[in-house]
Amino acid sequence: MPARQRTGIFRKTFLLAFLLMVVIILFFATLTIPRQRKTILKSMEAQANAISSSIAQVCADAIATQDYPFLVEHNLKMLQGNPSILYVIVAYQNGFSLVLTQNRWEQRETLDARWEIETTEVVAGKILYSDLVRQKVFHYAFPLRYSFVSWGHLYLGLSLHDFNNAITSMYVIMLLLSLACLFIGVFGAYLFAKTLTHPILALREATNQLARGDLTVRARIMTRDEIEELATAFNQMAENLEKTTVSKDFVRNILETMTESLVVTTATGRIRMVNQATLQLLGYTEAELLDQPLHLLFTGEDPLLKDAWIDNLGQYGDKYNHERMLRSKTGVAIPVLFSAAVMYRDDQVQGIVCVALDIRQRKIAEEQLQQAYQDLKETQGQLIQTAKLASIGELAAGVAHELNQPLMVIRTAIQFLTRSLQKQRIGLQEVIEHLEPVERNTKRMMNIIDHLRAFSRQSQTPFAAINVNQVLDDAFLMIGEQLRLRNITVVKHFTPDLPTVSGDANRLEQVFLNLITNSRDAITAAPHANGTLNITTRVSESQTHVEIVIQDTGGGIPSEYLDKIFDPFFTTKEVGQGTGLGLSISYGIIKEHQGEIQVMETGSEGTTFVIRLPVESD
Ligand SMILES: Nc1ncnc2c1ncn2[C@@H]1O[C@H](COP(=O)(O)OP(=O)(O)O)[C@@H](O)[C@H]1O
Ligand SMILES: [Mg+2]
């Protein structure tokens, strides 16, 4: 198509210029040829006139006197001396005439009507066929007038040889001139067409290139006219386009470089475009996917991808972003993060743009993380149990003491009763009275043993409403005796009617035991061994938390250890004395209860720990 059009505009211009040339040449030819002809005829006429005048002059007397021999002789001589004169006729008014040709002469009584020329006054000639000489001649009539008397006419026949030659050479010259003009004209028209159409064609070529998508094209035209202005405007337009338009190639390149899979469907949900990443992920060729329904790519059924998928997509606000399973060509399920969005154009659904990110690696990592977390939880559970057992071992001695006292009471009562019964000096009422402390202390021992058993149980119980004061009391049930033995004064500032917290009593008791044991160790290690342990329970100012403050008069925690004490296995105690797990496990348990544990202050005066647990909301 371009080639045809190119010749079109060039040919048009060329033909136009050429035709114009031909018209001009023809115009000049038609104007020039008759003039030339006339000029030649005029010169012939002048020649005939000169000859006629001379004859009329020389023969004036002979004509008047009708001296025919002289007339014949003179004119024959003249005819012979001048071959271009073909005949001379001397015609008298009455019709008598002398007719002389090159080689003969005759007399005639009447005159040939054709010889007369429509004038008597004006000298005139015309071209006619002459029977006399059997050829075309320039026939000239000259009136013979002497002293205002008309005697007749002198007719001359001049040869057309020179005239024809002149006409021919005129035509030849005209032809040559025309050819020269034509040649120059063709060349000129070509040059004209070329210079005129070249910049237009160049501009058109640039426009075509731009239309094909090459936005870098510029028209280089320097004609200093409107076409150059047009080219400048075109270049400006191309530049703006280049700046504002993202070319198809560029977009294609981006899509192919994407690591995510991209699938674009038509408004009816058929695959319209896929990128390389999709083909690689699913193992299809492009041809296998194009025009297929989108749900070919998925495993299982999905309301989103069934017939009413666009409506369903509307439920997601035109966007869908979920983990989904794609199905490869070989049927392998591939987990992806799949997002889809409806593509609109002028409020019309154009299709759906889907991007899928392969998350197989992430899934594996997640599973490994899950496993690691599970392992860690198990290990932590074991650790807690180990720590608990360790503290139970430690507690055993204290519990032994704890049990010792009621046992002593029971034994004393039984000894007294035995002795009194042996002596039969005791009444029933008295026996009952003495059995009462036995009963009470047995109960207390059972309490302690029960609690020890419960505490050492591994299982976690579901969270329940808990009175923190009660849990603390339970903790002292096991450790109180140990503190007494070490001369540690325990001062309890329990707020009565404390709001309950939601939690696991067993685990919270473990926390309290850990903190109390740490205080016990700190006080025992301090130079002035007699210490005090203050335990306070209260409601926080904001009424949202229950606070448990455990304050001792031990040696405090060196500041460089402060950020380490909650680390697992961090201990300053000798091997066998401490595991370094107490605070780390306590921290974990308090976090599980949505609470917090903090060292409020520490120094040579002692250490204060605060635990905050959220009040159970109803
Ligand atoms: N009340 C306290 N007074 C002084 N130091 C303490 C106190 N509580 C904890 N610590 C320090 O924190 C460390 C870690 O305590 P913990 O985690 O219970 O392990 P362990 O008691 O087995 O050493 C202790 O070794 C001790 O140095
Ligand atoms: Mg400890």
Side-chain angles (χ1 to χ4, degrees):
M1 183 179 92
R4 196 161 54 91
Q5 281 197 351
R6 189 171 308 160
T7 46
I9 186 166
F10 175 77
R11 189 185 287 175
K12 263 184 217 160
T13 321
F14 176 75
L15 274 180
L16 200 73
F18 179 73
L19 275 177
L20 205 68
M21 222 67 188
V22 171
V23 167
I24 290 170
I25 289 169
L26 282 177
F27 178 71
F28 274 104
T30 48
L31 216 68
T32 316
I33 289 172
R35 269 167 184 272
Q36 284 289 330
R37 232 180 115 90
K38 230 176 185 165
T39 313
I40 296 166
L41 276 175
K42 269 260 176 328
S43 82
M44 279 189 86
E45 208 168 64
Q47 193 191 348
N49 190 35
I51 296 166
S52 304
S53 309
S54 107
I55 293 174
Q57 218 166 4
V58 175
C59 300
D61 285 348
I63 288 168
T65 57
Q66 299 189 344
D67 181 357
Y68 300 137
F70 177 82
L71 283 177
V72 171
E73 199 180 344
H74 173 78
N75 283 322
L76 272 180
K77 217 182 262 171
M78 206 194 54
L79 274 169
Q80 272 149 18
N82 199 340
S84 69
I85 304 171
L86 296 179
Y87 57 82
V88 176
I89 298 164
V90 182
Y92 285 89
Q93 208 70 311
N94 57 10
F96 176 83
S97 53
L98 288 172
V99 179
L100 301 108
T101 61
Q102 282 285 344
N103 36 30
R104 66 191 177 94
W105 73 276
E106 59 180 309
Q107 295 180 18
R108 290 197 188 177
E109 294 303 320
T110 52
L111 194 67
D112 191 332
R114 285 175 298 170
W115 293 347
E116 289 176 82
I117 284 179
E118 278 307 302
T119 175
T120 44
E121 300 294 325
V122 184
V123 196
K126 64 176 177 189
I127 290 171
L128 51 80
Y129 181 80
S130 162
D131 292 332
L132 278 176
V133 288
R134 298 181 196 288
Q135 60 181 278
K136 274 184 151 187
V137 297
F138 179 72
H139 180 79
Y140 187 77
F142 187 84
L144 297 169
R145 264 170 196 271
Y146 305 108
S147 325
F148 303 107
V149 178
S150 184
W151 289 86
H153 278 88
L154 186 69
Y155 296 108
L156 279 189
L158 293 186
S159 161
L160 284 179
H161 187 259
D162 286 349
F163 172 79
N164 284 338
N165 275 355
I167 291 289
T168 310
S169 62
M170 183 195 77
Y171 277 123
V172 169
I173 286 169
M174 278 313 285
L175 195 73
L176 285 179
L177 255 168
S178 298
L179 280 179
C181 281
L182 213 62
F183 182 75
I184 294 169
V186 167
F187 188 67
Y190 175 82
L191 276 185
F192 173 74
K194 190 111 194 140
T195 42
L196 195 75
T197 57
H198 181 77
I200 295 176
L201 294 178
L203 191 61
R204 203 188 61 107
E205 182 54 36
T207 314
N208 274 347
Q209 246 173 291
L210 186 79
R212 279 195 297 269
D214 179 5
L215 301 184
T216 59
V217 70
R218 297 289 179 275
R220 310 211 181 287
I221 293 166
M222 270 159 303
T223 49
R224 294 173 189 282
D225 57 11
E226 288 86 344
I227 296 179
E228 185 177 332
E229 279 169 34
L230 199 63
T232 313
F234 169 84
N235 289 346
Q236 187 64 50
M237 185 182 77
E239 203 170 309
N240 289 344
L241 263 179
E242 195 183 9
K243 268 187 219 153
T244 53
T245 312
V246 182
S247 78
K248 218 176 168 183
D249 277 356
F250 186 58
V251 173
R252 185 93 208 159
N253 205 351
I254 292 174
L255 298 184
E256 289 307 337
T257 315
M258 268 173 77
T259 49
E260 286 90 352
S261 302
L262 178 85
V263 181
V264 181
T265 73
T266 61
T268 53
R270 292 199 168 261
I271 297 173
R272 183 169 155 188
M273 202 215 99
V274 289
N275 68 349
Q276 200 56 40
T278 311
L279 304 179
Q280 257 165 22
L281 184 72
L282 301 178
Y284 286 104
T285 64
E286 192 171 9
E288 285 170 331
L289 286 183
L290 289 183
D291 217 31
Q292 293 299 317
L294 182 62
H295 50 75
L296 175 80
L297 305 183
F298 291 86
T299 56
E301 299 282 287
D302 188 332
L304 170 77
L305 303 157
K306 283 193 185 162
D307 294 341
W309 58 269
I310 289 181
D311 300 341
N312 285 324
L313 210 50
Q315 292 169 6
Y316 302 94
D318 288 345
K319 286 191 184 77
Y320 177 92
N321 203 337
H322 288 279
E323 275 188 22
R324 299 207 34 82
M325 282 293 189
L326 291 186
R327 186 179 54 196
S328 81
K329 190 183 176 184
T330 52
V332 178
I334 300 167
V336 293
L337 193 64
F338 182 79
S339 60
V342 178
M343 175 167 64
Y344 288 101
R345 185 170 190 173
D346 303 334
D347 283 350
Q348 282 276 16
V349 173
Q350 284 272 293
I352 174 171
V353 179
C354 314
V355 177
L357 177 67
D358 181 2
I359 52 169
R360 274 176 294 188
Q361 291 302 321
R362 201 172 88 184
K363 278 276 168 212
I364 292 171
E366 264 175 26
E367 270 163 30
Q368 285 172 343
L369 195 70
Q370 194 64 36
Q371 188 57 47
Y373 178 69
Q374 210 59 45
D375 290 352
L376 192 71
K377 256 196 134 169
E378 258 169 46
T379 313
Q380 195 196 23
Q382 285 166 1
L383 266 178
I384 292 172
Q385 191 55 22
T386 309
K388 199 148 71 174
L389 291 178
S391 55
I392 287 169
E394 220 182 318
L395 286 173
V399 171
H401 284 289
E402 208 74 48
L403 293 175
N404 213 19
Q405 203 213 350
L407 266 177
M408 287 298 286
V409 175
I410 293 167
R411 193 174 163 226
T412 311
I414 288 181
Q415 278 174 348
F416 172 79
L417 280 175
T418 310
R419 252 184 279 123
S420 302
L421 284 173
Q422 276 170 351
K423 290 174 189 166
Q424 293 191 337
R425 276 195 317 213
I426 191 162
L428 187 58
Q429 194 53 44
E430 251 183 310
V431 172
I432 290 169
E433 266 171 35
H434 277 91
L435 277 177
E436 192 275 329
V438 173
E439 155 106 66
R440 185 159 39 87
N441 281 287
T442 312
K443 233 184 190 159
R444 180 168 149 78
M445 285 166 68
M446 277 168 67
N447 243 353
I448 293 169
I449 289 164
D450 268 359
H451 188 74
L452 193 64
R453 198 188 290 145
F455 180 71
S456 56
R457 255 205 308 270
Q458 192 171 353
S459 68
Q460 291 188 19
T461 54
F463 278 17
I466 285 182
N467 182 349
V468 171
N469 290 345
Q470 181 60 50
V471 180
L472 278 165
D473 276 337
D474 287 346
F476 278 106
L477 205 57
M478 291 201 287
I479 201 163
E481 188 63 17
Q482 282 189 49
L483 300 175
R484 255 195 308 282
L485 285 173
R486 286 178 170 81
N487 287 326
I488 296 170
T489 318
V490 176
V491 185
K492 294 178 181 173
H493 309 275
F494 286 3
T495 300
D497 301 327
L498 206 58
T500 53
V501 299
S502 167
D504 181 341
N506 198 320
R507 304 196 121 213
L508 286 178
E509 185 179 334
Q510 195 179 351
V511 173
F512 299 146
L513 276 173
N514 282 337
L515 292 185
I516 295 166
T517 318
N518 280 349
S519 290
R520 181 202 68 193
D521 292 346
I523 291 167
T524 316
H528 43 87
N530 287 356
T532 310
L533 181 64
N534 284 303
I535 312 264
T536 310
T537 60
R538 64 188 182 210
V539 182
S540 71
E541 266 176 37
S542 59
Q543 306 288 317
T544 53
H545 287 78
V546 169
E547 293 179 344
I548 304 107
V549 185
I550 297 173
Q551 185 204 17
D552 65 51
T553 55
I557 306 167
S559 57
E560 66 263 34
Y561 294 158
L562 270 178
D563 55 349
K564 293 204 187 87
I565 54 171
F566 290 104
D567 292 351
F569 305 110
F570 175 79
T571 180
T572 55
K573 295 166 193 171
E574 282 169 26
V575 182
Q577 294 280 309
T579 58
L581 290 173
L583 283 182
S584 113
I585 287 169
S586 301
Y587 183 88
I589 292 171
I590 295 302
K591 280 284 149 202
E592 269 175 33
H593 284 78
Q594 318 295 328
E596 48 188 60
I597 174 168
Q598 276 179 324
V599 185
M600 288 301 281
E601 49 199 65
T602 185
S604 53
E605 295 300 300
T607 304
T608 307
F609 275 89
V610 174
I611 295 170
R612 287 190 193 84
L613 295 170
V615 167
E616 191 186 38
S617 54
D618 15 45

